[in-house]
Amino acid sequence: MDINLELYKVFYYVATTLSFSEASRELFISQSAVSQSIKTLEKKLNHTLFIRSTKKVLLTPEGELLLQHVKPAIQMLDEGESLLSGDNMLKGQLRIGASDTICRYYLIHYLQKFHQEFPDVRIKVTNSTSIGCAELLEKGQVDLIVCNSPNSRLDNHMNVKVLRDFRDIFVGNPDCFSPEEIPCELKTLLKQPILMLSSKSTTSEYLHQMFATHGLNLLPEVELNSNDLLMDLARIGLGIACIPDYMLNPDDSLKPIPLADPLPPRQLVLVQHDSLPLSQAAERFLDMFS
C-alpha cells in the first residue's frame, strides 16, 4: 500500500495530542492541512481512525491499533535524525500523566531535574486522577504515569515501580475541632463534616473500603478534585480533610488528628505499559528512579 510517511506523521501527532489544532502547531502546518491529511489516510486505509466532536477527539479501536505500530516507528526516525545531525542532545517528547497533587508535591522536582539535563525534550504533563491516568496509559496517550496504588485500573499489562510509601491522614483546624479522645476512633471522625476527594479517585475508593472494614458508612460532606482546596476549606473550619501526609507542612495551621487505628500505608508508583515501546526520553526519565 502506497502511503506517504508524512500522513503517518500527522496521524501520530493528532493521536498523541488528541487535538487537530495542537498537532498543527507542533507540525507547523495549518489545521486544515492536518484535517485533510487524516481524511486522506482514512480513505487509503478504508478505516475511520478518529471520532470527532465539537468538544473532543478520540481514537477509534482501529486508530488505537495503528498508533501502537506508528508510534515506535516515528520515535525511532526522530531519534535517528538527531544522531545523524551530529547533535548529541536528547530530543523528542516526554508524556507524563499525574494528578495535580502528585505533580506539585512529588513529581515537580524530577521534572525540573530532567528539564535541566535534557532541555531539548518537550515535556507534556497531562493532569488527571490516578484512575484517569491509568486509563490514559492504557490508551497510549501518555508514556508513563505516576499515580496512587492500590489502583483498580492498573492491570497485568502494566509494569509498576514503587517510588515511596505514604499515609492518608485527617487534618483539621484545632480552633474548630477538638476530638473527644486522643487518639481518635474513626467513628468519632464521622461526627464532623468529612472533606475528601471525589468518588472517581483512588483515595475515595480506598477510604470507603477502610471505613467499611470497621462497619462504618462514610458519607463525606464535601467531595472535590483538589486536595489543596480541601485543605483551604479545613483551615476555615468547614470540616476535616483527608490528605496524603506528604502534603502537610509542619508550620501549617492544620494539624493531624491521631487515630487509634491509623490507616494502612499506600504507595506512589511509576507505571509503564509493557506492550508500548518507550521513547529514549521516557527511558531516560525512568533512569532517574533507578
Side-chain angles (χ1 to χ4, degrees):
M1 188 178 294
D2 182 20
I3 298 180
N4 190 317
L5 177 61
E6 288 302 312
L7 295 181
Y8 284 121
K9 189 171 184 178
V10 173
F11 165 77
Y12 167 77
Y13 278 93
V14 176
T16 54
T17 62
L18 292 179
S19 168
F20 281 69
S21 59
E22 180 65 24
S24 71
R25 284 192 290 269
E26 296 198 15
L27 290 166
F28 299 101
I29 61 176
S30 68
Q31 188 169 336
S32 61
V34 170
S35 297
Q36 187 57 49
S37 295
I38 295 300
K39 289 179 181 178
T40 301
L41 181 60
E42 289 179 325
K43 184 177 181 180
K44 286 181 175 290
L45 293 175
N46 197 29
H47 283 291
T48 300
L49 302 174
F50 295 97
I51 300 171
R52 306 162 178 84
S53 70
T54 56
K55 294 185 178 180
K56 59 184 177 180
V57 176
L58 297 173
L59 281 164
T60 64
E62 293 79 10
E64 292 179 356
L65 177 62
L66 183 62
L67 179 61
Q68 292 180 17
H69 297 276
V70 170
K71 178 182 175 182
I74 295 296
Q75 290 176 340
M76 289 179 68
L77 287 171
D78 288 343
E79 291 163 3
E81 289 175 355
S82 296
L83 292 173
L84 289 175
S85 70
D87 185 356
N88 292 324
M89 294 296 291
L90 183 66
K91 292 184 173 64
Q93 185 179 47
L94 172 65
R95 302 177 304 157
I96 299 286
S99 70
D100 57 351
T101 298
I102 292 173
C103 280
R104 179 177 180 182
Y105 292 92
Y106 181 79
L107 196 56
I108 194 167
H109 164 72
Y110 294 96
L111 293 174
Q112 179 186 28
K113 183 179 178 181
F114 184 86
H115 178 62
Q116 290 172 343
E117 188 169 351
F118 306 109
D120 291 334
V121 174
R122 291 170 298 167
I123 299 176
K124 179 180 179 181
V125 180
T126 301
N127 179 253
S128 186
T129 64
S130 288
I131 289 175
C133 285
E135 294 171 349
L136 290 171
L137 185 62
E138 182 65 38
K139 295 176 181 177
Q141 295 173 11
V142 292
D143 303 309
L144 302 165
I145 63 173
V146 180
C147 66
N148 295 329
S149 178
N151 185 330
S152 60
R153 301 305 190 276
L154 297 181
D155 60 36
N156 295 331
H157 300 292
M158 297 180 183
N159 296 322
V160 177
K161 179 181 180 61
V162 176
L163 301 178
R164 64 161 292 172
D165 291 340
F166 71 92
R167 286 185 183 272
D168 298 277
I169 59 174
F170 290 91
V171 296
N173 182 335
D175 293 333
C176 303
F177 173 72
S178 298
E180 300 171 359
E181 299 178 357
I182 295 292
C184 186
E185 299 285 347
L186 286 180
K187 62 181 180 181
T188 303
L189 290 182
L190 294 181
K191 297 178 181 179
Q192 301 293 324
I194 302 295
L195 318 175
M196 55 183 278
L197 291 180
S198 72
S199 58
K200 295 182 179 180
S201 67
T202 55
T203 298
S204 178
E205 288 184 347
Y206 176 76
L207 290 177
H208 278 92
Q209 181 181 355
M210 289 299 102
F211 274 78
T213 60
H214 289 79
L216 301 172
N217 187 20
L218 176 59
L219 296 173
E221 184 78 12
V222 173
E223 291 181 295
L224 300 173
N225 292 320
S226 168
N227 275 314
D228 287 300
L229 185 52
L230 291 177
M231 294 176 71
D232 288 338
L233 297 182
R235 288 189 187 100
I236 63 174
L238 293 191
I240 300 166
C242 183
I243 61 170
D245 57 5
Y246 56 79
M247 289 185 65
L248 188 63
N249 188 307
D251 298 327
D252 201 299
S253 59
L254 291 175
K255 301 303 175 185
I257 300 168
L259 295 179
D261 189 9
L263 298 176
R266 291 194 289 161
Q267 293 80 38
L268 287 184
V269 295
L270 178 63
V271 188
Q272 67 179 103
H273 203 294
D274 60 13
S275 67
L276 299 176
L278 290 179
S279 65
Q280 284 189 347
E283 289 177 348
R284 294 293 182 89
F285 189 75
L286 268 176
D287 290 341
M288 297 177 64
F289 300 90
S290 299

